[in-house]
Amino acid sequence: MRIVVLVGVPGSGKSTYLERLGAPALSSDRIRGLLADDETDQTIHDRVFQTVRYLLRQRLEIGRPVTYIDATNLTIEDRRPYLEMGRAHGCDVEAVFFDVPLEACRERNARRRRVVPEEALAKMAAKLTPPSVEEGFARVTVISD
């Protein structure tokens, strides 16, 4: 079994990558939509990620071979629960890092159906810590623009 954690700011290409792979994912935006009828509702952040982790646990317990986590996962703290769950279930945890220039993300963001405000995008980019094998990932794949 594998957990694949996508890492990147909004507009870096995470969801597009999954669409091209044809891979289903646990998406924080979709869960926001399911819980609050609004994919942009940031007031339920903790509930959203509790739900992501709950669903991941269920997938691991029933033996699903791979689970993708589609969220920004910008910091080591954001990613730690997935590494811990992987260890607890004896499976590899990989990261796919979208190393895309902020300007390209801004341009893509402007063309999206759901636009992330510029100030929020800039704060997220400043917070980004690239994932590493030293952090605990079995492997890190870098996708650049």
Side-chain angles (χ1 to χ4, degrees):
M1 292 188 300
R2 290 184 305 140
I3 300 168
V4 182
V5 179
L6 304 187
V7 178
V9 297
S12 61
K14 298 178 303 297
S15 297
T16 301
Y17 171 83
L18 290 170
E19 286 173 19
R20 288 184 181 149
L21 279 182
L26 298 179
S27 163
S28 58
D29 288 343
R30 285 197 194 118
I31 290 171
R32 270 190 193 86
L34 288 169
L35 294 177
D37 302 323
D38 179 357
E39 289 187 353
T40 66
D41 188 339
Q42 297 297 313
T43 66
I44 59 167
H45 182 83
D46 289 341
R47 284 180 192 260
V48 167
F49 286 95
Q50 287 170 4
T51 303
V52 168
R53 290 187 299 271
Y54 170 80
L55 292 171
L56 175 57
R57 260 190 311 280
Q58 298 307 308
R59 289 182 58 84
L60 293 172
E61 288 175 9
I62 65 171
R64 299 307 304 148
V66 62
T67 300
Y68 290 87
I69 306 297
D70 185 8
T72 57
N73 297 305
L74 299 173
T75 68
I76 292 170
E77 289 176 355
D78 293 336
R79 300 184 293 258
R80 184 173 294 125
Y82 308 116
L83 290 162
E84 290 171 354
M85 290 173 77
R87 278 192 293 277
H89 287 85
C91 64
D92 283 341
V93 184
E94 302 173 15
V96 178
F97 173 46
F98 293 79
D99 187 14
V100 178
L102 181 56
E103 191 52 43
C105 295
R106 283 185 176 121
E107 290 171 12
R108 292 175 185 171
N109 183 51
R111 295 190 305 260
R112 295 168 82 180
R113 178 180 53 84
R114 185 181 53 81
V115 176
V116 175
E118 170 57 34
E119 55 279 356
L121 193 62
K123 282 181 184 177
M124 288 184 197
K127 197 169 133 174
L128 175 64
T129 302
S132 67
V133 173
E134 293 76 26
E135 183 180 338
F137 289 103
R139 100 186 95 273
V140 175
T141 302
V142 178
I143 296 179
S144 54
D145 195 33

